[in-house]
Amino acid sequence: MIKLAIISLVIAAVLAILGFGGAAGTFVGIAKILFFLAIALFVIFLVLGLLAGKGIKNAID
């Protein structure tokens, strides 16, 4: 997902250089959404992984 955000930023930069400001702004918005979505998913899966690890550790002991 971070890869898609970076690709969107590169496309936005190219469009801005070529003078397509509206389209560049749209791609920057898409990149922001993808970036924050990736960060949120990372945190959610990090917490779930920690909880699952503790559950397995308690089951083994």
Side-chain angles (χ1 to χ4, degrees):
M1 191 141 334
I2 295 292
K3 182 179 177 181
L4 291 174
I6 293 171
I7 290 171
S8 294
L9 282 176
V10 170
I11 292 172
V14 170
L15 288 173
I17 290 171
L18 294 176
F20 298 105
T26 302
F27 273 96
V28 168
I30 291 170
K32 283 183 186 179
I33 291 169
L34 289 173
F35 176 74
F36 288 118
L37 184 63
I39 296 297
L41 287 173
F42 171 75
V43 170
I44 289 169
F45 286 123
L46 180 67
V47 170
L48 289 175
L50 290 173
L51 293 175
K54 287 182 182 180
I56 292 172
K57 181 182 175 191
N58 292 337
I60 292 174
D61 292 336

